[in-house]
Amino acid sequence: MVSKEVKFAGILEQVRQKAKEQGNCIAEEQVREAFAELELNDAQMQEVFDYLEKRKIGIGEPVDLDEYLTEEERDYLQQYLDEIALLPPYSDGERLAWTMSAMAGDEPARQRLTESYLREVTDIARLYTGQGVSLEDLIGEGNMALALGTGMLCRDEAGIFPKKPAEVQGVLVRGIMEAMEEFIRENADHDKKEKSVAERVNRVADKAREMAGELQRKVTPEELARETGMSLKYIRDAIRMSGYRIEDMEYAEERV
């Protein structure tokens, strides 16, 4: 049996995804309807709304996404949009025709179809700003996902795309969103790892500094391990992670 907590997390993710599909906006009634089966009280529902608002999801009306951009990102976005504006205009009918032709293997049509979605990539990227990655990187990831998606139209061996050309847009947009979300997750994991490394190096360096101050000389990894209880491997790994730059340690032999 699925616990209430697991069900709550699943519904919350569904609501978040629905909001992004609607331009990062969702009606209060939609949220309440989604959580109706859990019978949340007023305080719990308010926590849901607070969670959504902190993630730039407007309740009832869209939030101003540009306020999350740095001045440098605003300049980049404007320059990028100016470049896109130079591309030939298109109609919904033309986009649909390009989709059909791309599905049949027409490369020029695939290229025009890709170009027609560049503006959507920038709009989606703005939804993910303020999460530790730059707007330029988000647009780059989105464009790669877009090119990959349109390239798969004529060789959809996995059956990812619907048979009806009019339904292809939803798959392409989801692919762009998933690529950006994956990039944000990978960046967060990298930052977490970097922080962990820094914390380990700083811990060893601090203890080495304390011990060196008492002994009036540099200390060896073995001495530090005996004094602090840290494992010798932990200390040696920290030394290597620091690039052998922990000043108060004697580790000439560690380089061998």
Side-chain angles (χ1 to χ4, degrees):
M1 182 177 179
V2 180
S3 68
K4 185 175 181 179
E5 290 75 14
V6 172
K7 188 173 293 187
F8 175 88
I11 295 174
L12 189 60
E13 178 60 19
Q14 291 173 10
V15 168
R16 192 176 71 86
Q17 288 296 333
K18 183 65 175 178
K20 286 190 178 298
E21 293 171 3
Q22 298 176 166
N24 236 35
C25 176
I26 193 165
E28 180 178 337
E29 293 75 14
Q30 287 180 291
V31 180
R32 293 188 180 279
E33 182 179 346
F35 285 96
E37 63 178 295
L38 297 184
E39 299 180 344
L40 303 181
N41 58 38
D42 291 343
Q44 292 171 322
M45 281 305 307
Q46 187 57 51
E47 289 180 1
V48 171
F49 291 128
D50 290 343
Y51 170 89
L52 296 174
E53 289 176 354
K54 287 178 181 178
R55 281 151 184 80
K56 300 181 296 183
I57 294 175
I59 307 300
E61 58 183 20
V63 298
D64 182 7
L65 297 173
D66 288 344
E67 70 178 73
Y68 296 93
L69 300 179
T70 64
E71 183 175 351
E72 182 179 353
E73 287 177 325
R74 289 193 185 95
D75 291 341
Y76 169 78
L77 177 61
Q78 188 57 58
Q79 180 181 357
Y80 188 77
L81 291 176
D82 289 344
E83 293 175 358
I84 293 176
L86 297 177
L87 295 172
Y90 64 89
S91 65
D92 291 341
E94 287 176 314
R95 175 185 271 185
L96 182 59
W98 294 331
T99 301
M100 295 173 64
S101 297
M103 295 175 76
D106 187 328
E107 178 59 22
R110 187 197 68 79
Q111 293 178 357
R112 289 302 309 275
L113 180 65
T114 301
E115 292 176 355
S116 75
Y117 278 96
L118 293 178
R119 180 58 189 247
E120 269 96 333
V121 172
T122 63
D123 291 340
I124 294 170
R126 290 167 65 215
L127 301 178
Y128 290 99
T129 56
Q131 299 189 57
V133 296
S134 71
L135 177 68
E136 183 175 358
D137 285 339
L138 287 170
I139 291 176
E141 291 295 316
N143 284 343
M144 284 193 290
L146 171 61
L148 179 63
T150 58
M152 291 174 60
L153 280 174
C154 63
R155 53 180 187 279
D156 187 20
E157 298 175 358
I160 296 174
F161 289 94
K163 300 301 181 182
K164 296 180 180 179
E167 298 175 358
V168 167
Q169 179 175 2
V171 179
L172 290 176
V173 169
R174 283 196 297 274
I176 294 168
M177 294 173 68
E178 289 171 0
M180 292 183 186
E181 290 174 358
E182 179 62 23
F183 180 71
I184 291 171
R185 283 194 295 271
E186 290 177 351
N187 188 76
D189 290 342
H190 176 74
D191 288 347
K192 185 177 180 180
K193 182 177 180 180
E194 289 291 318
K195 183 178 180 181
S196 177
V197 169
E199 288 175 346
R200 177 184 295 201
V201 172
N202 289 337
R203 182 187 178 197
V204 171
D206 290 343
K207 292 298 182 180
R209 186 180 305 109
E210 292 177 10
M211 192 172 177
E214 295 173 358
L215 299 177
Q216 295 299 302
R217 62 172 174 79
K218 292 185 177 183
V219 298
T220 66
E222 291 78 9
E223 289 174 326
L224 191 62
R226 287 195 299 270
E227 180 68 21
T228 63
M230 291 186 287
S231 72
L232 192 56
K233 182 180 185 304
Y234 182 95
I235 294 171
R236 284 173 170 166
D237 285 346
I239 290 172
R240 285 191 287 271
M241 291 172 180
S242 74
Y244 299 91
R245 293 190 181 91
I246 300 179
E247 296 180 358
D248 298 295
M249 296 206 67
E250 179 61 55
Y251 45 70
E253 296 181 359
E254 300 299 312
R255 296 175 183 267
V256 180

